[in-house]
Structure formats: structure tokens, C-alpha cells
Amino acid sequence: MRNITLSQAVNEALAEEMRRDETVFIIGEDVAEAGTPFKVLSGLVEEFGTERVVDTPIAEPGFMGLAVGAALTGTRPVVDLMFGDFIYLIMDQLCNQAAKAYYMSGGKLNVPLVLRTNLGATRRSAAQHSQSLHALVAHIPGLKVAMPSSAYEAKGLMKTAIRDNNPVVIFEDKLMYNDKAPVPEEEFLIPFGEANVKREGSDITLIGTSSMVQVCEAAAEILAKEGIKAEVIDPRTIVPLDEAALLKSAKKTSRVIVVDEGHQSFGITGEIASRINEKAFYHLDAPALRMGAMDVPVPFSPALEDITVPTPEAVAENARKLMSGEMIHAA
Amino acid sequence: MPHEVIMPALGMAQDTGLIVSWFKSSGDAVKSGDALFEVETDKATMEVEAPADGYLTDVQAEAGAEVPVGNVIALISDSAEDSGTLAKAAPADTPSDTPAEAPAQATALPEGAGVIMPALGMAQDTGLIVAWHKSPGDAVASGDILFEVETDKSTMEVEAGQDGFVAALLAEAGEEAPVGDVIAIISADKPDAPVQRSIADAASPKAAAPQPAQDGDAEPGPADTAPAKAAAPKPAPAAKPRADGRILASPKARRLALEQGLDLNRLVEAGHPQPYHAADIEVLKSLPTAPAAGEAGVQSRRLTADLPSDGFAAFATWAADNAGLGDAAALLAGLAGASLGQDHAIVAIETFGQTRAFAVPAGPLGDITAADEGAAPDLTLRDLRLSQISTVALGAEDMPVLTLTRADDGLSITLECASHHLTASEATGLLSEFAGRMEHPLRHLL
């Protein structure tokens, strides 16, 4: 199988879906001429023209509102939000309008919209361009949230998102755009709500999202050298969440660490750990642990920024503590 | 009946309050809720409201006076005249080295500084004592936590506030004490007879506070016997509110222990460090069942064999029909005795409390006879196949004991013995021999 970058994978997914369905169009800042700051969309405007790859002014609430309206009236917009941090600007359009139109209209209206945006720190972009805000939208009923962990997931989840009749938010990790992974040439879709067991293990379950899947895999490598067999699971979509797969693994290993790049407090690590503590309680030999980013604005200083997010070493260290039965929180 | 107006405790570490000004004068009619006076502490200035409707009387402290917390500084009476009852009880502007509470209880309570129930909230009338951290007679330092108090808002630890000894605890954990009431006394010297009692013990809940005698008698009465009686030391200190028997164990460890009929307490007794996890269940399983008390060095052994099928019932039927051996108990004794590998063995068979002893020679099962009376058995076989009991861990007895229990379609055989009965290899040998015989009796005979 060929290896392509995550950028190429997203580009392919968009191109394939735009060829398949002429109601699919892209809208956002710098999507046509510049091809986005991460060059994900290069070449699309040449193939599909400025009618379907629409450059907008720097006005997120405006083009998001426009896209929601377009979705309500029969098209399938893919909105390009340059930085995940800008999601604050479009909260009403996304959470009050797109997320609730189906419900408020008694099922008469659909919003088949994809919001493509990103997350991830350690890119030296400072506090306003480094946030991982997927928990904000995962909290809102009516929105689906996909978090690809490699080029393969990026392509398969994007194609599924475009075909979904509900609003879907896809968070790509900014640092992963140039990471290559095997992606089949032939068409494929990845269904939502199906977790992927990246690595089998019997001692501890590491649940990671987005780039934290790689962190978990690296941690599993470290642990394997010490004889600890870690299982690594990627939920792939956090809404819907493949709870059954996570619980199955939790019951098998009886220890769980949930790793995510959002701030730890009130984040999705807490949600997932809670479900495991509630539903696999009598199978747990240790409390399910959360590992998120520090509860601080992401620092600009590289030395500081790097220590705000979970690392393989930190995950491995917590795994060792759980394995040894050491109580992390005093009784 | 007059209501007391006391100097309230507005802060945690407050001993006295400064009366900034009076809003009412002696003899004024007041309504419950009217601001009576303004008090200043190190932290704040607050207005204090009248606790009841009536007339302000017996004002003991003027504006500018510093009054110990808990002291009665006025009364709200039914008439405008002073009753005069407070003259001795609450001298205005006295330094607080001898709290005003002490005189009232002088006959009953040890000397010392009173510790009051503090006001932790603005609208708090009482505080629930969650726990005492010191016992009567204990030495305390000023910063030691004396007790824990719970209000509708929070639970807080309260410090002793002075060095000394706990001379009296006047309320028990679980009781509510009115804010400002003295609930403990700390004495400078070690008390001879520290007092412990509850609020409920005291006939009058306000007994600890200086109280104007209701009939106008200014003398705090020795006739008021209830507090004195209550103040008598209790015969034994109240039992600690339940020795904390909680075991720290993971949910999985608890589930495994429950499923396997194991008792986590035995890990505690063995000194195995908590918290317990699934791996510790293995340790629990390997613990000797019941340590033989008083016999140092004697270990008990407990081994279990599980057989998928019970071959014995069919064998007993076969033996009765074909060999004329109709006594199943004798057959069991024979199989057990043969497993011992001795030339001659006395085997006791226990079924539902009845014991029959058999002499088992090496040789055919037909040679088994009832043992002489009084012959000490070499082995006991306890047959619980027809009971509901599924596991046994009864501990070593005077001789090795094999116990048969039912397990689904098969059998479970438990061998219990002391280390001096059988070595570890003898024990495993006996059990596997016997298990083999019970599973395939004929194979071992042929």
C-alpha cells in the first residue's frame, strides 16, 4: 500500500467526494488561492473552480452562517476553519443553529455540513492558535466529532463526514499534516462510532485521540520493554463514541489511561474515564486515569509548551504506577 | 423568661469582641431582629440583632468595652426593669483569662479556658460536632486540631487555641452545640479527673453558659444538681466511633475475593500492605488457612482437588451388586486408606455429624472392618457431598482431614492438615492419590 501524508489524504477525500456529489463545496479563508496555511487544499480550486472552492473574507461568523444556510437548502458544505481556536467565533452558528435545526424543525431540516478544523499544541503558535477545543463541541447534542489519528483515518472519516446528514466537526492535528501512513488507493469509508484497536495488550489499556494515539503507541513501546503489555485504542470519533469497545478492553486489562490533548479539566478524558469507572467498575484494578493538557493557556515558550501536553514518557510513568498498584491519589 | 444577649463569635480565632456602639438603651423595647449593638473584631464590624421581642435590660458592657466571646452582655426581658441577675455573672470588660462560663460550673467542671462552638457562617445558630480529635486528659498544643465541626455549609477543623490539657469535653461527636457555648475546657495543668459528657447529659443545654437563675436567685445554685451529676467522669471513655474496619481494595480485587469465597481480612491479619489489587488475591489464596494458635512453627496446609466427575457413586453401586460390598462408607474408607500408602490405617468417615471408624488393611476392600473403639484415626474423611456446602477451610485438626464436597457434576476434595502431619509432598501425594481413586475407583483396584 502506498504511503501518503495526512494533507494528501484529506485532499483526496475532498476531491473524491466533490467528484461524486456536485452539491459538495468548500468554503473558508484562503481555501482557493492560497490552499490554506497547511496546503491541504492545493489543486482543488483548479479542478472544481471558484464556484465550489469559495474564498471568503476574514469573517468566520459570516461564512459559517452562510454555510449553515446552504446546508439547510440542499448542499453539502465543507467549511474550512483555519484554526480550531476560531471556533469561539462561530459558536452560535454551529451550536445553536446547525446542531439544533433537525430537532427544532421536527426532523424536516437537515444540516449536512462538515466543519474541518484543527487542534494541537507544540507548534509555537502561542495561546490563541494552539488550543484543542473538541470537548466544547462534543458537549453539544446534535454534533458529531471525528478525530483522525493518521492519514488513513483522515481520509476515511472525512468521506463519511461528507456523506452524513448531520453536522460533523473534524479536528485534524496541525502537526500531523506531513505524517505519512498507508492509505489504500481504492475507495474506503470509516464508519463513525467504531474504535480501532491499534495494538493488543493484556495489562493496561491506553485510549488516545488524534495525535495522542501516537503518544500512546510510543508509550506502549516503552512499556513493552519492561514487560508491560499495553493495549492501544483509538476511538476515532468521540461523538458517537464506541463505548462497547472501550469497556471491553477495560474489562480485559482492568486498568485504563485516557490520553487527549484537550485541557484535562472538564474534558473528554474525564468523560471517557467516567464511563469506564461507571460501567466497568467491578473489573477495574485501579481507577481509570485522565491525562489531558495542563489547565493553562498554551505557552509560547517552546520549553514550557512542550511540557503542557502528555508525552509517551509521562503516559508510561502513569502506567507503571497503575501496574504497581500505587495509588496516584491518596486515599 | 429573659433571653440572653451574648457576645457572638464572628471569627474562628476570636476571643473577644469590641462593642462599638449600642443602638438601643437599657429599658428600650426591642423586636426580634432589631440591631442591638455593633461589634468589631480583628476582621470586621457587624451589627448584632436582638434574639427576641422584649425589653433590653441588664446591659453589662458599655460602648468601647472589650467582651469575651460567649459572655452575656444583656438580657431581653419581659419588662423594662433590670433583673440584676447578671451583675456577677458577666462583669463588663473583664479580661478573658477566666472565662465567665467557669464560675457557673465551678463546682462541677475543671478549671481552665473554655473552648466555644465557633460561628462559621453568618446565619449559623448551632454547629454539629463531627469528631473530637483529642480525648479527655490529652495534652494539646494551641495549634492542635481539637475537633471538627459541620454547619449547613461546610466542615471545618477547629484548633485548641491554647496549650494545656483537655480537662473536659462537654459535648459528644454527633451532637449540635449552640454557637458560643463552651464545649470543652483546656486546663494549664494535667487534670486529675477529666470530664467527658454530652450535651444531652446536661439537664440544661445552656448549663455551661452563665445563666441568670430564673426565679431571680442570683446565686448559681449548687442545688442545680444535674450538671454536677453529669460532670462525674464516665466509668469508661466512650468507645471510639467504630474502629475503622474498611479495607482498601480495588473493585476487581473485591469482586475476585467475593467470587472465590476469600476473606480480605485475612490479608490484613497477615500484615499484607493495602491497598489490595487483583494480584494480592493470589497472595490471599496462598495464605495458610488457619494459623494453629499457640504452636509456633506449625503451619496448616489446605489443598483442593477438583474432579470433573464423581466416579465413586457408580463404583459403590457396582461393588454392592457384584462384590457384595454394600457399605459405601467402608468403601470410602478403603479408598482413602489406600491413598495414605500405609500397611494399616484407621480411617474415620464423618457423615452428617456421625462418625464411623474403619480399620483399613493393605489388601482387598472386603477386608475392611470396623475399627476398635477408641482407636485414633490416621485420617478423617468428611463426606459433605449431600450438603449445600461448597468450600471448606476449617483448619487443621488432630489428624489430616479430607473433605468431599459437590461441585456441579463433579467433586471437590479438600485436604486440610497441619505441617507436622504430612510434609508438603506427602500432602500433595495423598490428595492426588485419593482424587485419582475417587475419579476412577476401578482403575486403581485393577
Side-chain angles (χ1 to χ4, degrees), chain A residues 12-53:
Chain A
E12 277 187 10
L14 291 167
E16 286 175 19
E17 291 306 299
M18 288 173 84
R19 283 178 209 130
R20 187 187 60 81
D21 181 349
E22 62 179 17
T23 67
V24 177
F25 73 100
I26 297 169
I27 184 168
E29 293 158 5
D30 286 346
V31 293
E33 298 304 319
T36 77
F38 302 103
K39 303 290 176 202
V40 176
L41 307 181
S42 304
L44 292 180
V45 70
E46 284 79 4
E47 180 175 352
F48 300 102
T50 51
E51 288 287 299
R52 294 182 67 193
V53 183

mmCIF file of all heavy atoms in Angstrom, chain A residues 12-53:
data_model
loop_
_atom_site.group_PDB
_atom_site.id
_atom_site.type_symbol
_atom_site.label_atom_id
_atom_site.label_comp_id
_atom_site.label_asym_id
_atom_site.label_seq_id
_atom_site.Cartn_x
_atom_site.Cartn_y
_atom_site.Cartn_z
ATOM 1 N N GLU A 12 -7.448 14.192 -1.056
ATOM 2 C CA GLU A 12 -8.061 13.121 -1.863
ATOM 3 C C GLU A 12 -9.518 12.913 -1.487
ATOM 4 O O GLU A 12 -10.384 12.749 -2.343
ATOM 5 C CB GLU A 12 -7.312 11.801 -1.632
ATOM 6 C CG GLU A 12 -6.058 11.641 -2.455
ATOM 7 C CD GLU A 12 -5.461 10.246 -2.313
ATOM 8 O OE1 GLU A 12 -6.124 9.348 -1.724
ATOM 9 O OE2 GLU A 12 -4.337 10.066 -2.782
ATOM 10 N N ALA A 13 -9.770 12.893 -0.168
ATOM 11 C CA ALA A 13 -11.138 12.661 0.291
ATOM 12 C C ALA A 13 -12.069 13.741 -0.258
ATOM 13 O O ALA A 13 -13.151 13.450 -0.775
ATOM 14 C CB ALA A 13 -11.188 12.637 1.818
ATOM 15 N N LEU A 14 -11.623 15.007 -0.172
ATOM 16 C CA LEU A 14 -12.450 16.106 -0.649
ATOM 17 C C LEU A 14 -12.662 16.001 -2.159
ATOM 18 O O LEU A 14 -13.792 16.139 -2.658
ATOM 19 C CB LEU A 14 -11.800 17.450 -0.288
ATOM 20 C CG LEU A 14 -11.791 17.778 1.215
ATOM 21 C CD1 LEU A 14 -10.857 18.958 1.497
ATOM 22 C CD2 LEU A 14 -13.203 18.097 1.701
ATOM 23 N N ALA A 15 -11.578 15.760 -2.871
ATOM 24 C CA ALA A 15 -11.675 15.687 -4.325
ATOM 25 C C ALA A 15 -12.620 14.555 -4.745
ATOM 26 O O ALA A 15 -13.469 14.727 -5.623
ATOM 27 C CB ALA A 15 -10.281 15.492 -4.926
ATOM 28 N N GLU A 16 -12.463 13.387 -4.125
ATOM 29 C CA GLU A 16 -13.311 12.245 -4.485
ATOM 30 C C GLU A 16 -14.778 12.544 -4.221
ATOM 31 O O GLU A 16 -15.652 12.248 -5.036
ATOM 32 C CB GLU A 16 -12.887 11.000 -3.675
ATOM 33 C CG GLU A 16 -11.574 10.368 -4.145
ATOM 34 C CD GLU A 16 -11.128 9.228 -3.247
ATOM 35 O OE1 GLU A 16 -11.973 8.682 -2.493
ATOM 36 O OE2 GLU A 16 -9.927 8.903 -3.282
ATOM 37 N N GLU A 17 -15.061 13.140 -3.073
ATOM 38 C CA GLU A 17 -16.462 13.418 -2.731
ATOM 39 C C GLU A 17 -17.031 14.522 -3.606
ATOM 40 O O GLU A 17 -18.208 14.498 -3.972
ATOM 41 C CB GLU A 17 -16.588 13.778 -1.243
ATOM 42 C CG GLU A 17 -16.315 12.605 -0.305
ATOM 43 C CD GLU A 17 -17.162 11.377 -0.619
ATOM 44 O OE1 GLU A 17 -18.405 11.477 -0.550
ATOM 45 O OE2 GLU A 17 -16.587 10.320 -0.959
ATOM 46 N N MET A 18 -16.179 15.505 -3.973
ATOM 47 C CA MET A 18 -16.666 16.577 -4.834
ATOM 48 C C MET A 18 -16.942 16.063 -6.245
ATOM 49 O O MET A 18 -17.859 16.527 -6.918
ATOM 50 C CB MET A 18 -15.671 17.742 -4.859
ATOM 51 C CG MET A 18 -15.656 18.520 -3.538
ATOM 52 S SD MET A 18 -14.358 19.763 -3.440
ATOM 53 C CE MET A 18 -15.136 21.142 -4.289
ATOM 54 N N ARG A 19 -16.147 15.082 -6.668
ATOM 55 C CA ARG A 19 -16.410 14.476 -7.976
ATOM 56 C C ARG A 19 -17.693 13.650 -7.921
ATOM 57 O O ARG A 19 -18.479 13.598 -8.849
ATOM 58 C CB ARG A 19 -15.253 13.564 -8.385
ATOM 59 C CG ARG A 19 -14.040 14.326 -8.889
ATOM 60 C CD ARG A 19 -12.887 13.375 -9.228
ATOM 61 N NE ARG A 19 -11.628 14.085 -9.021
ATOM 62 C CZ ARG A 19 -10.610 13.613 -8.315
ATOM 63 N NH1 ARG A 19 -10.662 12.411 -7.763
ATOM 64 N NH2 ARG A 19 -9.522 14.332 -8.178
ATOM 65 N N ARG A 20 -17.897 12.969 -6.800
ATOM 66 C CA ARG A 20 -19.034 12.058 -6.658
ATOM 67 C C ARG A 20 -20.343 12.827 -6.523
ATOM 68 O O ARG A 20 -21.387 12.417 -7.024
ATOM 69 C CB ARG A 20 -18.826 11.190 -5.415
ATOM 70 C CG ARG A 20 -19.839 10.081 -5.219
ATOM 71 C CD ARG A 20 -19.654 9.393 -3.867
ATOM 72 N NE ARG A 20 -19.809 10.315 -2.743
ATOM 73 C CZ ARG A 20 -20.978 10.692 -2.236
ATOM 74 N NH1 ARG A 20 -22.107 10.229 -2.735
ATOM 75 N NH2 ARG A 20 -21.031 11.550 -1.238
ATOM 76 N N ASP A 21 -20.286 13.968 -5.802
ATOM 77 C CA ASP A 21 -21.518 14.685 -5.455
ATOM 78 C C ASP A 21 -21.305 16.164 -5.729
ATOM 79 O O ASP A 21 -20.526 16.825 -5.031
ATOM 80 C CB ASP A 21 -21.841 14.438 -3.966
ATOM 81 C CG ASP A 21 -23.121 15.132 -3.526
ATOM 82 O OD1 ASP A 21 -23.646 15.970 -4.292
ATOM 83 O OD2 ASP A 21 -23.586 14.824 -2.412
ATOM 84 N N GLU A 22 -22.021 16.691 -6.720
ATOM 85 C CA GLU A 22 -21.740 18.075 -7.104
ATOM 86 C C GLU A 22 -22.290 19.097 -6.113
ATOM 87 O O GLU A 22 -22.043 20.286 -6.248
ATOM 88 C CB GLU A 22 -22.309 18.361 -8.507
ATOM 89 C CG GLU A 22 -23.808 18.220 -8.586
ATOM 90 C CD GLU A 22 -24.334 18.539 -9.983
ATOM 91 O OE1 GLU A 22 -23.505 18.539 -10.925
ATOM 92 O OE2 GLU A 22 -25.540 18.774 -10.117
ATOM 93 N N THR A 23 -23.047 18.634 -5.088
ATOM 94 C CA THR A 23 -23.516 19.601 -4.078
ATOM 95 C C THR A 23 -22.460 19.866 -3.010
ATOM 96 O O THR A 23 -22.641 20.715 -2.154
ATOM 97 C CB THR A 23 -24.806 19.094 -3.383
ATOM 98 O OG1 THR A 23 -24.504 17.934 -2.604
ATOM 99 C CG2 THR A 23 -25.884 18.758 -4.396
ATOM 100 N N VAL A 24 -21.367 19.106 -3.058
ATOM 101 C CA VAL A 24 -20.304 19.324 -2.068
ATOM 102 C C VAL A 24 -19.467 20.520 -2.499
ATOM 103 O O VAL A 24 -19.043 20.603 -3.651
ATOM 104 C CB VAL A 24 -19.400 18.077 -1.951
ATOM 105 C CG1 VAL A 24 -18.253 18.332 -0.976
ATOM 106 C CG2 VAL A 24 -20.220 16.860 -1.520
ATOM 107 N N PHE A 25 -19.271 21.471 -1.588
ATOM 108 C CA PHE A 25 -18.379 22.584 -1.899
ATOM 109 C C PHE A 25 -17.592 22.983 -0.660
ATOM 110 O O PHE A 25 -17.958 22.647 0.466
ATOM 111 C CB PHE A 25 -19.162 23.778 -2.468
ATOM 112 C CG PHE A 25 -19.988 24.531 -1.464
ATOM 113 C CD1 PHE A 25 -19.516 25.725 -0.914
ATOM 114 C CD2 PHE A 25 -21.244 24.065 -1.073
ATOM 115 C CE1 PHE A 25 -20.280 26.428 0.002
ATOM 116 C CE2 PHE A 25 -22.010 24.777 -0.168
ATOM 117 C CZ PHE A 25 -21.530 25.969 0.383
ATOM 118 N N ILE A 26 -16.478 23.681 -0.913
ATOM 119 C CA ILE A 26 -15.590 24.102 0.182
ATOM 120 C C ILE A 26 -15.691 25.597 0.343
ATOM 121 O O ILE A 26 -15.734 26.338 -0.647
ATOM 122 C CB ILE A 26 -14.128 23.719 -0.142
ATOM 123 C CG1 ILE A 26 -13.998 22.187 -0.253
ATOM 124 C CG2 ILE A 26 -13.167 24.260 0.906
ATOM 125 C CD1 ILE A 26 -12.666 21.741 -0.814
ATOM 126 N N ILE A 27 -15.752 26.039 1.599
ATOM 127 C CA ILE A 27 -15.817 27.473 1.849
ATOM 128 C C ILE A 27 -14.949 27.810 3.051
ATOM 129 O O ILE A 27 -14.913 27.061 4.026
ATOM 130 C CB ILE A 27 -17.285 27.937 2.047
ATOM 131 C CG1 ILE A 27 -17.350 29.460 2.217
ATOM 132 C CG2 ILE A 27 -17.941 27.234 3.222
ATOM 133 C CD1 ILE A 27 -18.784 30.006 2.129
ATOM 134 N N GLY A 28 -14.238 28.945 2.955
ATOM 135 C CA GLY A 28 -13.392 29.367 4.070
ATOM 136 C C GLY A 28 -12.361 30.380 3.627
ATOM 137 O O GLY A 28 -12.354 30.810 2.469
ATOM 138 N N GLU A 29 -11.482 30.716 4.569
ATOM 139 C CA GLU A 29 -10.461 31.722 4.282
ATOM 140 C C GLU A 29 -9.266 31.065 3.603
ATOM 141 O O GLU A 29 -8.779 30.027 4.070
ATOM 142 C CB GLU A 29 -9.999 32.379 5.601
ATOM 143 C CG GLU A 29 -11.103 33.199 6.254
ATOM 144 C CD GLU A 29 -10.878 33.389 7.752
ATOM 145 O OE1 GLU A 29 -9.825 32.968 8.262
ATOM 146 O OE2 GLU A 29 -11.782 33.934 8.399
ATOM 147 N N ASP A 30 -8.806 31.664 2.515
ATOM 148 C CA ASP A 30 -7.598 31.190 1.815
ATOM 149 C C ASP A 30 -7.715 29.753 1.314
ATOM 150 O O ASP A 30 -6.718 29.042 1.214
ATOM 151 C CB ASP A 30 -6.365 31.286 2.742
ATOM 152 C CG ASP A 30 -5.909 32.725 2.911
ATOM 153 O OD1 ASP A 30 -6.369 33.574 2.117
ATOM 154 O OD2 ASP A 30 -5.102 32.986 3.824
ATOM 155 N N VAL A 31 -8.925 29.303 1.005
ATOM 156 C CA VAL A 31 -9.044 27.912 0.569
ATOM 157 C C VAL A 31 -8.724 27.748 -0.918
ATOM 158 O O VAL A 31 -8.311 26.675 -1.356
ATOM 159 C CB VAL A 31 -10.446 27.339 0.864
ATOM 160 C CG1 VAL A 31 -10.671 27.226 2.347
ATOM 161 C CG2 VAL A 31 -11.547 28.163 0.195
ATOM 162 N N ALA A 32 -8.927 28.823 -1.675
ATOM 163 C CA ALA A 32 -8.760 28.689 -3.125
ATOM 164 C C ALA A 32 -7.353 29.074 -3.557
ATOM 165 O O ALA A 32 -6.548 28.220 -3.943
ATOM 166 C CB ALA A 32 -9.800 29.542 -3.842
ATOM 167 N N GLU A 33 -7.056 30.341 -3.459
ATOM 168 C CA GLU A 33 -5.781 30.814 -3.978
ATOM 169 C C GLU A 33 -4.611 30.278 -3.165
ATOM 170 O O GLU A 33 -3.631 29.774 -3.702
ATOM 171 C CB GLU A 33 -5.753 32.350 -3.990
ATOM 172 C CG GLU A 33 -6.829 32.964 -4.894
ATOM 173 C CD GLU A 33 -6.732 32.446 -6.332
ATOM 174 O OE1 GLU A 33 -5.587 32.312 -6.834
ATOM 175 O OE2 GLU A 33 -7.794 32.167 -6.932
ATOM 176 N N ALA A 34 -4.706 30.377 -1.848
ATOM 177 C CA ALA A 34 -3.571 30.001 -1.016
ATOM 178 C C ALA A 34 -3.569 28.509 -0.699
ATOM 179 O O ALA A 34 -2.531 27.934 -0.368
ATOM 180 C CB ALA A 34 -3.581 30.804 0.272
ATOM 181 N N GLY A 35 -4.734 27.886 -0.774
ATOM 182 C CA GLY A 35 -4.790 26.459 -0.477
ATOM 183 C C GLY A 35 -4.608 26.152 0.989
ATOM 184 O O GLY A 35 -4.136 25.086 1.354
ATOM 185 N N THR A 36 -5.007 27.064 1.833
ATOM 186 C CA THR A 36 -4.930 27.013 3.305
ATOM 187 C C THR A 36 -3.491 27.055 3.781
ATOM 188 O O THR A 36 -2.575 26.637 3.073
ATOM 189 C CB THR A 36 -5.611 25.773 3.945
ATOM 190 O OG1 THR A 36 -4.771 24.651 3.778
ATOM 191 C CG2 THR A 36 -6.976 25.545 3.395
ATOM 192 N N PRO A 37 -3.320 27.552 4.992
ATOM 193 C CA PRO A 37 -1.958 27.684 5.533
ATOM 194 C C PRO A 37 -1.243 26.338 5.575
ATOM 195 O O PRO A 37 -0.025 26.282 5.611
ATOM 196 C CB PRO A 37 -2.189 28.213 6.955
ATOM 197 C CG PRO A 37 -3.522 28.848 6.908
ATOM 198 C CD PRO A 37 -4.328 28.087 5.908
ATOM 199 N N PHE A 38 -1.955 25.259 5.610
ATOM 200 C CA PHE A 38 -1.298 23.954 5.707
ATOM 201 C C PHE A 38 -1.246 23.227 4.357
ATOM 202 O O PHE A 38 -0.923 22.064 4.281
ATOM 203 C CB PHE A 38 -2.003 23.095 6.760
ATOM 204 C CG PHE A 38 -2.016 23.749 8.112
ATOM 205 C CD1 PHE A 38 -3.165 24.363 8.592
ATOM 206 C CD2 PHE A 38 -0.865 23.775 8.883
ATOM 207 C CE1 PHE A 38 -3.164 24.976 9.825
ATOM 208 C CE2 PHE A 38 -0.865 24.386 10.122
ATOM 209 C CZ PHE A 38 -2.023 24.994 10.592
ATOM 210 N N LYS A 39 -1.617 23.962 3.297
ATOM 211 C CA LYS A 39 -1.520 23.447 1.925
ATOM 212 C C LYS A 39 -2.336 22.166 1.706
ATOM 213 O O LYS A 39 -2.019 21.360 0.850
ATOM 214 C CB LYS A 39 -0.044 23.147 1.548
ATOM 215 C CG LYS A 39 0.857 24.350 1.700
ATOM 216 C CD LYS A 39 0.548 25.392 0.635
ATOM 217 C CE LYS A 39 1.401 26.656 0.854
ATOM 218 N NZ LYS A 39 0.813 27.837 0.212
ATOM 219 N N VAL A 40 -3.356 21.998 2.511
ATOM 220 C CA VAL A 40 -4.154 20.781 2.408
ATOM 221 C C VAL A 40 -4.977 20.778 1.113
ATOM 222 O O VAL A 40 -5.192 19.745 0.493
ATOM 223 C CB VAL A 40 -5.086 20.650 3.631
ATOM 224 C CG1 VAL A 40 -6.000 19.456 3.497
ATOM 225 C CG2 VAL A 40 -4.259 20.555 4.903
ATOM 226 N N LEU A 41 -5.394 21.980 0.692
ATOM 227 C CA LEU A 41 -6.365 22.048 -0.399
ATOM 228 C C LEU A 41 -5.727 22.348 -1.750
ATOM 229 O O LEU A 41 -6.435 22.653 -2.716
ATOM 230 C CB LEU A 41 -7.421 23.117 -0.067
ATOM 231 C CG LEU A 41 -8.093 22.940 1.297
ATOM 232 C CD1 LEU A 41 -9.138 24.028 1.520
ATOM 233 C CD2 LEU A 41 -8.744 21.568 1.417
ATOM 234 N N SER A 42 -4.421 22.252 -1.829
ATOM 235 C CA SER A 42 -3.739 22.582 -3.090
ATOM 236 C C SER A 42 -4.352 21.825 -4.272
ATOM 237 O O SER A 42 -4.586 20.622 -4.194
ATOM 238 C CB SER A 42 -2.257 22.206 -2.990
ATOM 239 O OG SER A 42 -1.677 22.843 -1.895
ATOM 240 N N GLY A 43 -4.624 22.562 -5.318
ATOM 241 C CA GLY A 43 -5.091 21.928 -6.548
ATOM 242 C C GLY A 43 -6.588 21.805 -6.665
ATOM 243 O O GLY A 43 -7.125 21.542 -7.748
ATOM 244 N N LEU A 44 -7.314 21.969 -5.584
ATOM 245 C CA LEU A 44 -8.765 21.746 -5.655
ATOM 246 C C LEU A 44 -9.460 22.845 -6.451
ATOM 247 O O LEU A 44 -10.381 22.578 -7.223
ATOM 248 C CB LEU A 44 -9.363 21.644 -4.248
ATOM 249 C CG LEU A 44 -8.942 20.396 -3.453
ATOM 250 C CD1 LEU A 44 -9.589 20.391 -2.079
ATOM 251 C CD2 LEU A 44 -9.311 19.126 -4.210
ATOM 252 N N VAL A 45 -9.008 24.093 -6.266
ATOM 253 C CA VAL A 45 -9.673 25.170 -6.997
ATOM 254 C C VAL A 45 -9.449 25.014 -8.495
ATOM 255 O O VAL A 45 -10.326 25.327 -9.292
ATOM 256 C CB VAL A 45 -9.222 26.556 -6.480
ATOM 257 C CG1 VAL A 45 -7.772 26.836 -6.855
ATOM 258 C CG2 VAL A 45 -10.155 27.652 -7.000
ATOM 259 N N GLU A 46 -8.276 24.485 -8.901
ATOM 260 C CA GLU A 46 -8.011 24.262 -10.320
ATOM 261 C C GLU A 46 -9.009 23.269 -10.893
ATOM 262 O O GLU A 46 -9.509 23.432 -11.999
ATOM 263 C CB GLU A 46 -6.576 23.743 -10.529
ATOM 264 C CG GLU A 46 -5.488 24.809 -10.407
ATOM 265 C CD GLU A 46 -5.143 25.164 -8.966
ATOM 266 O OE1 GLU A 46 -5.688 24.529 -8.049
ATOM 267 O OE2 GLU A 46 -4.341 26.112 -8.762
ATOM 268 N N GLU A 47 -9.318 22.214 -10.134
ATOM 269 C CA GLU A 47 -10.230 21.203 -10.664
ATOM 270 C C GLU A 47 -11.693 21.636 -10.577
ATOM 271 O O GLU A 47 -12.469 21.426 -11.495
ATOM 272 C CB GLU A 47 -10.049 19.873 -9.925
ATOM 273 C CG GLU A 47 -10.996 18.791 -10.459
ATOM 274 C CD GLU A 47 -10.785 17.416 -9.840
ATOM 275 O OE1 GLU A 47 -9.801 17.231 -9.095
ATOM 276 O OE2 GLU A 47 -11.614 16.534 -10.125
ATOM 277 N N PHE A 48 -12.081 22.253 -9.433
ATOM 278 C CA PHE A 48 -13.512 22.489 -9.213
ATOM 279 C C PHE A 48 -13.941 23.941 -9.382
ATOM 280 O O PHE A 48 -15.128 24.253 -9.360
ATOM 281 C CB PHE A 48 -13.914 21.987 -7.816
ATOM 282 C CG PHE A 48 -13.651 20.510 -7.644
ATOM 283 C CD1 PHE A 48 -12.548 20.066 -6.939
ATOM 284 C CD2 PHE A 48 -14.501 19.573 -8.225
ATOM 285 C CE1 PHE A 48 -12.290 18.714 -6.789
ATOM 286 C CE2 PHE A 48 -14.243 18.209 -8.080
ATOM 287 C CZ PHE A 48 -13.142 17.763 -7.368
ATOM 288 N N GLY A 49 -12.967 24.847 -9.541
ATOM 289 C CA GLY A 49 -13.318 26.237 -9.804
ATOM 290 C C GLY A 49 -13.728 26.991 -8.552
ATOM 291 O O GLY A 49 -13.992 26.401 -7.497
ATOM 292 N N THR A 50 -13.785 28.305 -8.676
ATOM 293 C CA THR A 50 -14.085 29.142 -7.515
ATOM 294 C C THR A 50 -15.544 29.089 -7.105
ATOM 295 O O THR A 50 -15.928 29.587 -6.065
ATOM 296 C CB THR A 50 -13.692 30.609 -7.795
ATOM 297 O OG1 THR A 50 -14.258 31.006 -9.036
ATOM 298 C CG2 THR A 50 -12.176 30.755 -7.849
ATOM 299 N N GLU A 51 -16.402 28.491 -7.933
ATOM 300 C CA GLU A 51 -17.806 28.295 -7.534
ATOM 301 C C GLU A 51 -17.920 27.270 -6.424
ATOM 302 O O GLU A 51 -18.825 27.321 -5.601
ATOM 303 C CB GLU A 51 -18.630 27.807 -8.746
ATOM 304 C CG GLU A 51 -18.870 28.854 -9.778
ATOM 305 C CD GLU A 51 -19.896 29.875 -9.313
ATOM 306 O OE1 GLU A 51 -21.046 29.457 -9.046
ATOM 307 O OE2 GLU A 51 -19.544 31.055 -9.180
ATOM 308 N N ARG A 52 -17.001 26.290 -6.440
ATOM 309 C CA ARG A 52 -17.096 25.213 -5.438
ATOM 310 C C ARG A 52 -15.945 25.235 -4.448
ATOM 311 O O ARG A 52 -15.910 24.421 -3.527
ATOM 312 C CB ARG A 52 -17.166 23.857 -6.156
ATOM 313 C CG ARG A 52 -18.462 23.707 -6.977
ATOM 314 C CD ARG A 52 -18.540 22.352 -7.633
ATOM 315 N NE ARG A 52 -18.675 21.287 -6.655
ATOM 316 C CZ ARG A 52 -18.512 19.988 -6.947
ATOM 317 N NH1 ARG A 52 -18.202 19.635 -8.185
ATOM 318 N NH2 ARG A 52 -18.666 19.077 -6.028
ATOM 319 N N VAL A 53 -15.008 26.120 -4.656
ATOM 320 C CA VAL A 53 -13.951 26.314 -3.656
ATOM 321 C C VAL A 53 -13.929 27.813 -3.398
ATOM 322 O O VAL A 53 -13.333 28.592 -4.132
ATOM 323 C CB VAL A 53 -12.577 25.808 -4.158
ATOM 324 C CG1 VAL A 53 -11.522 25.969 -3.070
ATOM 325 C CG2 VAL A 53 -12.668 24.350 -4.603
#
